[in-house]
Amino acid sequence: MNLTVCIGSSCHLKGSRIVVERLENLIQTHGLKDKIDLRGSFCTGNCQTGVSATLDGVYYSLTPENTERFFIEKLLPRVAEKTGE
Ligand code: FES
């Protein structure tokens, strides 16, 4: 599954580096390294809404504070759905 986080300058100022670090940690902790392809992307044109992220093409607006909730509420169920676990 593809997870991209914008590392453009506006998202960088909103904490994209912290968001990426938190996602990396969460992916590691949940043993999902081989299931999630985490990448940085350039500006996606959604600079005003927060740190832009896409999960399999679906757009989400992240902040360092809501990253863990996103992971638990959006990402984990998708992983479960895809892998049938
Ligand atoms: S800098 Fe991230 S959407 Fe523009």
Side-chain angles (χ1 to χ4, degrees), residues 54-82:
T54 56
L55 176 62
D56 280 349
V58 180
Y59 173 79
Y60 294 95
S61 169
L62 300 183
T63 64
E65 293 72 34
N66 77 8
T67 298
E68 185 162 6
R69 203 175 68 211
F70 159 78
F71 189 88
I72 290 166
E73 291 180 3
K74 306 290 181 197
L75 194 144
L76 287 182
R78 257 194 94 78
V79 172
E81 209 175 90
K82 277 206 154 182

Side-chain angles (χ1 to χ4, degrees), residues 3-77:
L3 177 60
T4 61
V5 178
C6 175
I7 50 170
S9 52
S10 172
C11 290
H12 179 77
L13 290 175
K14 296 194 184 99
S16 64
R17 203 168 56 85
I18 301 167
V19 168
V20 169
E21 275 170 19
R22 293 202 172 155
L23 288 170
E24 278 173 346
N25 284 337
L26 287 159
I27 289 168
Q28 178 91 26
T29 311
H30 287 79
L32 296 173
K33 255 183 154 343
D34 54 337
K35 298 212 171 73
I36 296 167
D37 188 15
L38 176 62
R39 286 166 196 262
S41 76
F42 294 112
C43 179
T44 59
N46 297 295
C47 310
Q48 48 317 350
T49 57
V51 177
S52 304
T54 56
L55 176 62
D56 280 349
V58 180
Y59 173 79
Y60 294 95
S61 169
L62 300 183
T63 64
E65 293 72 34
N66 77 8
T67 298
E68 185 162 6
R69 203 175 68 211
F70 159 78
F71 189 88
I72 290 166
E73 291 180 3
K74 306 290 181 197
L75 194 144
L76 287 182

